[in-house]
């Protein structure tokens, strides 16, 4: 089974959810703006992050339950700390609501 790891949590990657703008508008209305603010700041701090974040979306899942940060195929992939920061802030606002994979998607589209 493919999994996504974020902040130490593993969640099944196969879902029936179709992420779209405003998906969390009722359950965590600030999720998208939180992620976008973290991403914007990271790009201000290092303009190279604008290219790093979309790459994370392609490296988000691997088979066998191995998280993307530990996967040998991800050597050299950067930007995990940006997603971790966004996840921490979203978790503070809405604990247990927003999937890490969705945070990666939000962050890579900014």
């Amino acid at each position: 089974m493919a999994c996504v790891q974020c902040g130490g949590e593993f969640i099944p990657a196969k879902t029936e959810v179709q992420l779209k703008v405003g998906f969390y508008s009722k359950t965590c209305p600030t999720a998208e703006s939180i992620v976008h603010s973290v991403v914007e700041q990271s790009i201000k701090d290092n303009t190279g992050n604008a290219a790093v974040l979309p790459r994370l979306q392609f490296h988000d899942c691997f088979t066998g339950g191995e998280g993307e940060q530990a996967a040998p195929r991800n050597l050299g992939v950067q930007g995990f700390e940006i997603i971790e920061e966004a996840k921490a802030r979203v978790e503070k606002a809405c604990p247990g609501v927003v999937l890490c994979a969705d945070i990666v998607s939000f962050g890579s589209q900014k």
Side-chain angles (χ1 to χ4, degrees):
M1 172 189 296
C3 291
V4 175
Q5 179 187 16
C6 186
E9 72 177 294
F10 282 97
I11 51 177
K14 182 179 178 184
T15 64
E16 300 299 321
V17 177
Q18 295 179 357
L19 184 63
K20 60 182 178 180
V21 173
F23 180 81
Y24 290 102
S25 64
K26 292 185 175 143
T27 56
C28 188
T30 58
E32 291 177 46
S33 64
I34 290 170
V35 174
H36 289 178
S37 70
V38 170
V39 169
E40 284 178 4
Q41 186 59 53
S42 76
I43 292 170
K44 284 179 185 176
D45 294 344
N46 178 354
T47 56
N49 286 336
V52 165
L53 291 170
R55 184 174 180 208
L56 278 178
Q57 194 163 25
F58 292 105
H59 290 266
D60 192 33
C61 284
F62 287 91
T63 60
E66 184 174 40
E68 63 273 330
Q69 293 182 40
R73 298 190 311 192
N74 280 351
L75 290 176
V77 175
Q78 300 172 348
F80 293 113
E81 70 284 352
I82 300 164
I83 299 304
E84 291 291 334
E85 174 68 21
K87 177 66 173 170
R89 291 187 188 185
V90 170
E91 278 297 306
K92 186 175 181 179
C94 310
V97 175
V98 181
L99 297 174
C100 189
D102 293 347
I103 292 172
V104 172
S105 291
F106 292 149
S108 67
Q109 295 178 22
K110 183 60 183 158

